[in-house]
Amino acid sequence: MKRILTKEIRQSLGPQREGPELVPPLKVGILAVPEFTFMSLSCFVEYLRLAADERDYSRKIFCDWSLLSNSSEPIAASCGFQMLPTANIDTLASYNYLLVHGGILHTQHQVPDYIYQTVERAIELNLPILGLCTGQFVLAEMGLLNGKRCAVHFSQEMAMKELFPEVITDTDNHVVEDGGITTCPGGLASISLATRLVSEHCGTARAEKVMHYFMTDRPEKNFKKYLDVQSHQGGIAMTKES
């Protein structure tokens, strides 16, 4: 087979000039617990990647992000994928947000001590803290959400209320900010969290560019077609509780 996408061709499809030298206005350090949810993380990080540069060139010009850990050991996602950390928690002071990313609550893996310690260090540094997916449970366990509103996935609301009754749960909003802590229930709502951060620190034009590249500005005809097929074939109707 003759290869068409040669090294030279690939280079021609990439950036043809150097990017501007500037400090990214948005830098997010990410702490992921064992068996974190891959969808929430990928939505959030891919949004930053597309906001960070022109086209999909992926250079960290306007945004920067790192997966933090205290070692180089991989972190397992709930889907079984393993992700390697890209920076040590010692670099925490170089970011302007710390994101605590949760996962499945019934995992048999304990949250590592370094995650709690890094959150405590972020508070000392006065870094704004973000809780994504079930990262809120880590923050609630530390007492950081007592008396505060917190965005929670509807399927986890009961657990949050039972375990941490002093937390005020909110299942209606994708992003909730209260007392210096911003929370998001995960899933596609991660895009809403990233949109808020990028709009605030990089401008609305960069956020609009990402949504265009995500193709969310196009009507989704296939979804209705799928529902029609389900209806005719007696498919299972998915409810909010499913």
Side-chain angles (χ1 to χ4, degrees):
M1 181 186 73
K2 180 182 179 182
R3 291 187 178 271
I4 304 299
L5 292 173
T6 62
K7 181 179 179 180
E8 291 74 20
I9 292 295
R10 292 180 186 278
Q11 287 178 339
S12 71
L13 295 174
Q16 302 303 302
R17 59 184 179 183
E18 294 292 327
E21 294 185 8
L22 53 85
V23 176
L26 176 60
K27 299 184 68 176
V28 183
I30 302 170
L31 289 173
V33 306
E35 297 201 61
F36 67 90
T37 49
F38 199 78
M39 180 182 181
S40 297
L41 182 66
S42 60
C43 284
F44 182 82
V45 172
E46 281 296 281
Y47 195 106
L48 298 190
R49 181 184 70 84
L50 286 169
D53 199 357
E54 59 182 334
R55 298 177 66 100
D56 64 343
Y57 291 155
S58 306
R59 295 171 297 182
K60 295 181 176 181
I61 298 174
F62 297 101
C63 304
D64 197 351
W65 57 94
S66 296
L67 182 61
L68 304 178
S69 181
N70 66 340
S71 73
S72 58
E73 292 296 312
I75 305 169
S78 57
C79 66
F81 286 179
Q82 303 273 331
M83 289 198 65
L84 291 174
T86 58
N88 193 278
I89 54 175
D90 292 342
T91 63
L92 182 62
S94 65
Y95 304 96
N96 44 25
Y97 286 94
L98 175 66
L99 184 146
V100 181
H101 195 297
I104 57 176
L105 293 178
H106 58 275
T107 178
Q108 298 304 302
H109 299 283
Q110 291 291 331
V111 176
D113 289 339
Y114 78 82
I115 288 185
Y116 298 107
Q117 294 164 359
T118 305
V119 173
E120 291 173 348
R121 176 61 178 153
I123 294 172
E124 293 174 359
L125 294 171
N126 203 30
L127 284 182
I129 297 174
L130 312 170
L132 182 58
C133 190
T134 60
Q136 292 89 309
F137 283 78
V138 174
L139 303 179
E141 191 174 21
M142 299 177 69
L144 300 177
L145 295 178
N146 289 349
K148 294 185 176 67
R149 289 177 57 240
C150 168
V152 182
H153 193 276
F154 65 85
S155 66
Q156 306 295 347
E157 183 182 25
M158 184 176 296
M160 179 65 82
K161 286 184 173 181
E162 290 179 352
L163 295 171
F164 308 106
E166 295 185 33
V167 176
I168 304 169
T169 59
D170 186 334
T171 59
D172 295 323
N173 294 289
H174 286 183
V175 181
V176 171
E177 183 178 354
D178 192 354
I181 297 178
T182 303
T183 51
C184 173
L188 292 178
S190 307
I191 294 174
S192 299
L193 176 60
T195 299
R196 175 175 294 199
L197 297 177
V198 169
S199 297
E200 178 180 350
H201 294 276
C202 308
T204 56
R206 303 221 67 79
E208 291 170 357
K209 176 252 187 177
V210 175
M211 300 308 285
H212 179 61
Y213 269 67
F214 275 0
M215 297 191 291
T216 57
D217 57 346
R218 303 184 184 186
E220 183 49 78
K221 299 178 182 178
N222 289 325
F223 184 67
K224 183 178 186 303
K225 184 185 294 185
Y226 171 76
L227 292 180
D228 291 342
V229 170
Q230 288 284 297
S231 177
H232 285 102
Q233 294 182 354
I236 299 174
M238 299 299 291
T239 66
K240 187 176 181 181
E241 290 75 28
S242 297

